[in-house]
Amino acid sequence: MTVLWSPKKDPAFARENAIRIRLMAGQKLIRNQTMERFLPLQPIQGTAGQGFFYVATDRTYKLPASGVHVPGEYPILTHGELGLGTVVVSFTIFSDAKDDAAVKEALEALRGATLVGEGR
C-alpha cells in the first residue's frame, strides 16, 4: 500500500473519475504482459471512500506439470486505488491463485480503511 496525494492540492484527485483514469493509464503499461486481453475495473466501496481494482495474470507464468504452485511465485496481480478524503490508497496484492482467500481478506481490510488526522 502507498498513500498518494495531489501535490497541487487538486480536490478531484481522490474522486472516482480520477482514480479510473489513473488505473486505465497504468493498465496500458502492463497489458502486453498479461494473459487477459481486457482488465475490467471492479468497484471497491470502502467505509470512507470508493475506488476500483483489477486482476491480471502474468503472461509468462507456467503452472508446473504437477499442478502445484511453486512457493514464492505469485503470477496474479490485484491492483487498485481507494479514495479516502483527499488522499488515495494505492494497493498491489500478489497471489498464486485468483480465488486466494488472502486477497479477499486484504480487500476486506482495505474496505475498512479510514483517514485519521487529515489536515494536520
Short mmCIF file of all heavy atoms in Angstrom, two decimals, residues 64-108:
data_model
loop_
_atom_site.label_atom_id
_atom_site.label_comp_id
_atom_site.label_asym_id
_atom_site.label_seq_id
_atom_site.Cartn_x
_atom_site.Cartn_y
_atom_site.Cartn_z
N PRO A 64 3.53 -25.54 -13.03
CA PRO A 64 4.29 -26.79 -13.18
C PRO A 64 3.37 -27.96 -13.52
O PRO A 64 2.18 -27.95 -13.19
CB PRO A 64 4.94 -26.97 -11.81
CG PRO A 64 4.98 -25.61 -11.21
CD PRO A 64 3.76 -24.90 -11.74
N ALA A 65 3.91 -28.97 -14.17
CA ALA A 65 3.14 -30.15 -14.58
C ALA A 65 2.46 -30.81 -13.40
O ALA A 65 1.40 -31.42 -13.54
CB ALA A 65 4.06 -31.15 -15.29
N SER A 66 3.05 -30.66 -12.21
CA SER A 66 2.45 -31.26 -11.01
C SER A 66 1.14 -30.57 -10.62
O SER A 66 0.36 -31.12 -9.84
CB SER A 66 3.43 -31.15 -9.83
OG SER A 66 3.61 -29.78 -9.47
N GLY A 67 0.90 -29.38 -11.16
CA GLY A 67 -0.30 -28.64 -10.81
C GLY A 67 -0.19 -27.89 -9.50
O GLY A 67 -1.13 -27.25 -9.06
N VAL A 68 0.97 -27.96 -8.89
CA VAL A 68 1.20 -27.29 -7.61
C VAL A 68 2.02 -26.03 -7.85
O VAL A 68 3.05 -26.07 -8.51
CB VAL A 68 1.94 -28.24 -6.63
CG1 VAL A 68 2.24 -27.53 -5.32
CG2 VAL A 68 1.14 -29.51 -6.40
N HIS A 69 1.55 -24.92 -7.30
CA HIS A 69 2.27 -23.66 -7.44
C HIS A 69 3.62 -23.75 -6.74
O HIS A 69 3.73 -24.32 -5.66
CB HIS A 69 1.46 -22.51 -6.85
CG HIS A 69 0.22 -22.21 -7.62
ND1 HIS A 69 0.23 -21.50 -8.79
CD2 HIS A 69 -1.06 -22.54 -7.39
CE1 HIS A 69 -1.00 -21.39 -9.25
NE2 HIS A 69 -1.81 -22.01 -8.41
N VAL A 70 4.61 -23.16 -7.36
CA VAL A 70 5.95 -23.11 -6.78
C VAL A 70 5.95 -22.05 -5.68
O VAL A 70 5.52 -20.92 -5.91
CB VAL A 70 7.00 -22.77 -7.86
CG1 VAL A 70 8.38 -22.61 -7.26
CG2 VAL A 70 6.99 -23.82 -8.96
N PRO A 71 6.42 -22.40 -4.48
CA PRO A 71 6.47 -21.40 -3.41
C PRO A 71 7.29 -20.18 -3.85
O PRO A 71 8.33 -20.31 -4.47
CB PRO A 71 7.17 -22.14 -2.26
CG PRO A 71 6.92 -23.58 -2.54
CD PRO A 71 6.89 -23.71 -4.05
N GLY A 72 6.77 -19.01 -3.51
CA GLY A 72 7.47 -17.78 -3.85
C GLY A 72 7.12 -17.21 -5.22
O GLY A 72 7.58 -16.14 -5.56
N GLU A 73 6.31 -17.91 -6.00
CA GLU A 73 5.88 -17.40 -7.30
C GLU A 73 4.44 -16.91 -7.18
O GLU A 73 3.57 -17.63 -6.72
CB GLU A 73 5.98 -18.47 -8.37
CG GLU A 73 7.41 -18.82 -8.72
CD GLU A 73 7.54 -19.72 -9.93
OE1 GLU A 73 6.51 -20.11 -10.51
OE2 GLU A 73 8.67 -20.04 -10.28
N TYR A 74 4.23 -15.66 -7.57
CA TYR A 74 2.92 -15.03 -7.44
C TYR A 74 2.52 -14.39 -8.77
O TYR A 74 2.74 -13.20 -8.98
CB TYR A 74 2.95 -14.00 -6.31
CG TYR A 74 3.42 -14.61 -5.01
CD1 TYR A 74 4.72 -14.43 -4.57
CD2 TYR A 74 2.57 -15.39 -4.26
CE1 TYR A 74 5.16 -15.01 -3.39
CE2 TYR A 74 2.99 -15.97 -3.07
CZ TYR A 74 4.29 -15.77 -2.64
OH TYR A 74 4.71 -16.35 -1.48
N PRO A 75 1.94 -15.17 -9.67
CA PRO A 75 1.64 -14.67 -11.01
C PRO A 75 0.38 -13.81 -11.12
O PRO A 75 0.15 -13.21 -12.16
CB PRO A 75 1.47 -15.95 -11.82
CG PRO A 75 0.92 -16.92 -10.82
CD PRO A 75 1.63 -16.59 -9.53
N ILE A 76 -0.41 -13.74 -10.06
CA ILE A 76 -1.66 -12.98 -10.10
C ILE A 76 -1.45 -11.65 -9.38
O ILE A 76 -1.02 -11.61 -8.23
CB ILE A 76 -2.82 -13.74 -9.43
CG1 ILE A 76 -2.93 -15.17 -9.95
CG2 ILE A 76 -4.12 -12.96 -9.59
CD1 ILE A 76 -3.26 -15.31 -11.40
N LEU A 77 -1.78 -10.57 -10.07
CA LEU A 77 -1.65 -9.23 -9.51
C LEU A 77 -3.04 -8.64 -9.35
O LEU A 77 -3.84 -8.69 -10.30
CB LEU A 77 -0.82 -8.37 -10.46
CG LEU A 77 -0.81 -6.87 -10.21
CD1 LEU A 77 0.62 -6.36 -10.31
CD2 LEU A 77 -1.69 -6.14 -11.19
N THR A 78 -3.34 -8.13 -8.18
CA THR A 78 -4.56 -7.37 -7.93
C THR A 78 -4.09 -5.97 -7.60
O THR A 78 -3.35 -5.77 -6.64
CB THR A 78 -5.37 -7.97 -6.76
OG1 THR A 78 -5.70 -9.32 -7.07
CG2 THR A 78 -6.64 -7.17 -6.51
N HIS A 79 -4.49 -5.01 -8.42
CA HIS A 79 -4.01 -3.64 -8.23
C HIS A 79 -5.19 -2.68 -8.26
O HIS A 79 -6.12 -2.85 -9.06
CB HIS A 79 -3.01 -3.25 -9.32
CG HIS A 79 -2.55 -1.83 -9.18
ND1 HIS A 79 -1.72 -1.42 -8.17
CD2 HIS A 79 -2.85 -0.73 -9.90
CE1 HIS A 79 -1.51 -0.12 -8.28
NE2 HIS A 79 -2.18 0.31 -9.33
N GLY A 80 -5.15 -1.67 -7.40
CA GLY A 80 -6.23 -0.70 -7.40
C GLY A 80 -5.92 0.52 -6.57
O GLY A 80 -4.82 0.67 -6.02
N GLU A 81 -6.92 1.37 -6.50
CA GLU A 81 -6.84 2.60 -5.71
C GLU A 81 -8.17 2.82 -5.02
O GLU A 81 -9.23 2.57 -5.60
CB GLU A 81 -6.53 3.81 -6.60
CG GLU A 81 -5.16 3.80 -7.20
CD GLU A 81 -4.83 5.09 -7.97
OE1 GLU A 81 -5.67 6.02 -7.99
OE2 GLU A 81 -3.74 5.14 -8.54
N LEU A 82 -8.09 3.29 -3.79
CA LEU A 82 -9.26 3.59 -2.98
C LEU A 82 -9.13 5.02 -2.47
O LEU A 82 -8.14 5.34 -1.80
CB LEU A 82 -9.37 2.61 -1.81
CG LEU A 82 -10.50 2.82 -0.82
CD1 LEU A 82 -11.86 2.65 -1.49
CD2 LEU A 82 -10.37 1.84 0.34
N GLY A 83 -10.09 5.87 -2.81
CA GLY A 83 -10.07 7.25 -2.35
C GLY A 83 -10.49 7.34 -0.89
O GLY A 83 -11.44 6.69 -0.47
N LEU A 84 -9.76 8.16 -0.13
CA LEU A 84 -10.08 8.41 1.28
C LEU A 84 -9.93 9.91 1.53
O LEU A 84 -8.83 10.40 1.77
CB LEU A 84 -9.12 7.66 2.22
CG LEU A 84 -9.14 6.14 2.18
CD1 LEU A 84 -8.05 5.58 3.07
CD2 LEU A 84 -10.49 5.61 2.61
N GLY A 85 -11.01 10.62 1.44
CA GLY A 85 -10.92 12.07 1.63
C GLY A 85 -10.13 12.70 0.50
O GLY A 85 -10.47 12.58 -0.67
N THR A 86 -9.01 13.33 0.85
CA THR A 86 -8.17 13.98 -0.16
C THR A 86 -6.98 13.12 -0.59
O THR A 86 -6.18 13.55 -1.41
CB THR A 86 -7.62 15.32 0.39
OG1 THR A 86 -6.85 15.05 1.56
CG2 THR A 86 -8.74 16.28 0.71
N VAL A 87 -6.86 11.93 -0.02
CA VAL A 87 -5.76 11.03 -0.39
C VAL A 87 -6.30 9.76 -1.03
O VAL A 87 -7.49 9.47 -0.96
CB VAL A 87 -4.86 10.68 0.84
CG1 VAL A 87 -4.29 11.92 1.46
CG2 VAL A 87 -5.61 9.85 1.84
N VAL A 88 -5.39 9.02 -1.63
CA VAL A 88 -5.72 7.76 -2.27
C VAL A 88 -4.79 6.69 -1.72
O VAL A 88 -3.59 6.92 -1.58
CB VAL A 88 -5.53 7.87 -3.81
CG1 VAL A 88 -5.62 6.52 -4.49
CG2 VAL A 88 -6.54 8.84 -4.40
N VAL A 89 -5.36 5.53 -1.41
CA VAL A 89 -4.54 4.38 -1.04
C VAL A 89 -4.40 3.54 -2.31
O VAL A 89 -5.38 3.03 -2.85
CB VAL A 89 -5.19 3.54 0.08
CG1 VAL A 89 -4.39 2.27 0.33
CG2 VAL A 89 -5.31 4.36 1.35
N SER A 90 -3.17 3.45 -2.80
CA SER A 90 -2.87 2.61 -3.95
C SER A 90 -2.38 1.28 -3.40
O SER A 90 -1.57 1.25 -2.48
CB SER A 90 -1.78 3.27 -4.80
OG SER A 90 -1.40 2.42 -5.85
N PHE A 91 -2.88 0.18 -3.95
CA PHE A 91 -2.50 -1.12 -3.41
C PHE A 91 -2.21 -2.12 -4.52
O PHE A 91 -2.79 -2.05 -5.61
CB PHE A 91 -3.58 -1.67 -2.48
CG PHE A 91 -4.94 -1.82 -3.10
CD1 PHE A 91 -5.31 -3.00 -3.74
CD2 PHE A 91 -5.85 -0.78 -3.07
CE1 PHE A 91 -6.56 -3.14 -4.32
CE2 PHE A 91 -7.11 -0.91 -3.65
CZ PHE A 91 -7.46 -2.10 -4.27
N THR A 92 -1.30 -3.01 -4.23
CA THR A 92 -0.97 -4.12 -5.12
C THR A 92 -0.85 -5.36 -4.27
O THR A 92 -0.15 -5.35 -3.25
CB THR A 92 0.35 -3.87 -5.86
OG1 THR A 92 0.24 -2.63 -6.58
CG2 THR A 92 0.67 -4.99 -6.83
N ILE A 93 -1.55 -6.41 -4.67
CA ILE A 93 -1.54 -7.67 -3.94
C ILE A 93 -1.09 -8.75 -4.94
O ILE A 93 -1.67 -8.87 -6.02
CB ILE A 93 -2.94 -8.02 -3.40
CG1 ILE A 93 -3.52 -6.85 -2.58
CG2 ILE A 93 -2.90 -9.31 -2.59
CD1 ILE A 93 -5.02 -6.93 -2.36
N PHE A 94 -0.08 -9.51 -4.58
CA PHE A 94 0.38 -10.61 -5.42
C PHE A 94 -0.10 -11.92 -4.81
O PHE A 94 -0.05 -12.09 -3.58
CB PHE A 94 1.91 -10.62 -5.53
CG PHE A 94 2.45 -9.44 -6.27
CD1 PHE A 94 2.98 -8.36 -5.61
CD2 PHE A 94 2.42 -9.41 -7.66
CE1 PHE A 94 3.48 -7.26 -6.29
CE2 PHE A 94 2.91 -8.32 -8.36
CZ PHE A 94 3.44 -7.24 -7.68
N SER A 95 -0.54 -12.84 -5.65
CA SER A 95 -1.01 -14.14 -5.15
C SER A 95 -0.73 -15.21 -6.19
O SER A 95 -0.33 -14.93 -7.31
CB SER A 95 -2.51 -14.08 -4.83
OG SER A 95 -3.25 -13.80 -6.00
N ASP A 96 -0.98 -16.46 -5.78
CA ASP A 96 -0.75 -17.57 -6.70
C ASP A 96 -2.05 -18.15 -7.25
O ASP A 96 -2.04 -19.12 -7.99
CB ASP A 96 0.12 -18.66 -6.07
CG ASP A 96 -0.52 -19.29 -4.84
OD1 ASP A 96 -1.66 -18.94 -4.51
OD2 ASP A 96 0.15 -20.13 -4.21
N ALA A 97 -3.19 -17.53 -6.90
CA ALA A 97 -4.48 -18.00 -7.39
C ALA A 97 -5.48 -16.85 -7.38
O ALA A 97 -5.45 -16.01 -6.48
CB ALA A 97 -4.99 -19.15 -6.53
N LYS A 98 -6.37 -16.82 -8.37
CA LYS A 98 -7.36 -15.74 -8.44
C LYS A 98 -8.38 -15.80 -7.31
O LYS A 98 -8.95 -14.78 -6.95
CB LYS A 98 -8.06 -15.75 -9.78
CG LYS A 98 -7.18 -15.23 -10.89
CD LYS A 98 -7.96 -14.93 -12.13
CE LYS A 98 -7.02 -14.32 -13.15
NZ LYS A 98 -7.69 -13.97 -14.37
N ASP A 99 -8.62 -16.96 -6.77
CA ASP A 99 -9.59 -17.08 -5.68
C ASP A 99 -8.91 -17.18 -4.31
O ASP A 99 -9.48 -17.70 -3.36
CB ASP A 99 -10.50 -18.28 -5.91
CG ASP A 99 -9.72 -19.59 -6.02
OD1 ASP A 99 -8.47 -19.55 -6.09
OD2 ASP A 99 -10.35 -20.65 -6.02
N ASP A 100 -7.72 -16.64 -4.20
CA ASP A 100 -6.92 -16.71 -2.97
C ASP A 100 -7.66 -16.01 -1.82
O ASP A 100 -8.05 -14.85 -1.93
CB ASP A 100 -5.57 -16.03 -3.22
CG ASP A 100 -4.57 -16.29 -2.12
OD1 ASP A 100 -4.96 -16.37 -0.94
OD2 ASP A 100 -3.37 -16.39 -2.44
N ALA A 101 -7.83 -16.73 -0.73
CA ALA A 101 -8.52 -16.18 0.45
C ALA A 101 -7.77 -14.97 1.01
O ALA A 101 -8.39 -14.03 1.53
CB ALA A 101 -8.66 -17.26 1.52
N ALA A 102 -6.45 -14.96 0.90
CA ALA A 102 -5.67 -13.84 1.42
C ALA A 102 -5.97 -12.55 0.66
O ALA A 102 -5.98 -11.46 1.24
CB ALA A 102 -4.18 -14.16 1.37
N VAL A 103 -6.24 -12.66 -0.64
CA VAL A 103 -6.60 -11.48 -1.43
C VAL A 103 -7.96 -10.96 -0.97
O VAL A 103 -8.14 -9.75 -0.78
CB VAL A 103 -6.62 -11.80 -2.94
CG1 VAL A 103 -7.15 -10.63 -3.74
CG2 VAL A 103 -5.23 -12.19 -3.41
N LYS A 104 -8.89 -11.85 -0.75
CA LYS A 104 -10.22 -11.44 -0.27
C LYS A 104 -10.10 -10.75 1.09
O LYS A 104 -10.76 -9.73 1.34
CB LYS A 104 -11.15 -12.65 -0.19
CG LYS A 104 -11.50 -13.21 -1.55
CD LYS A 104 -12.33 -14.45 -1.45
CE LYS A 104 -12.57 -15.03 -2.83
NZ LYS A 104 -13.24 -16.31 -2.82
N GLU A 105 -9.26 -11.29 1.96
CA GLU A 105 -9.05 -10.67 3.28
C GLU A 105 -8.41 -9.29 3.15
O GLU A 105 -8.80 -8.36 3.85
CB GLU A 105 -8.18 -11.57 4.14
CG GLU A 105 -8.87 -12.83 4.61
CD GLU A 105 -7.93 -13.76 5.38
OE1 GLU A 105 -6.86 -13.31 5.85
OE2 GLU A 105 -8.27 -14.95 5.50
N ALA A 106 -7.44 -9.16 2.26
CA ALA A 106 -6.76 -7.87 2.06
C ALA A 106 -7.74 -6.83 1.52
O ALA A 106 -7.76 -5.68 1.99
CB ALA A 106 -5.57 -8.03 1.12
N LEU A 107 -8.58 -7.22 0.56
CA LEU A 107 -9.57 -6.29 0.02
C LEU A 107 -10.58 -5.89 1.10
O LEU A 107 -10.99 -4.73 1.18
CB LEU A 107 -10.29 -6.89 -1.19
CG LEU A 107 -9.44 -7.04 -2.45
CD1 LEU A 107 -10.20 -7.83 -3.51
CD2 LEU A 107 -9.01 -5.68 -2.99
N GLU A 108 -10.95 -6.83 1.94
CA GLU A 108 -11.88 -6.51 3.03
C GLU A 108 -11.25 -5.54 4.02
O GLU A 108 -11.90 -4.61 4.50
CB GLU A 108 -12.32 -7.79 3.74
CG GLU A 108 -13.52 -7.60 4.63
CD GLU A 108 -14.74 -7.03 3.91
OE1 GLU A 108 -15.00 -7.38 2.76
OE2 GLU A 108 -15.43 -6.20 4.54
#
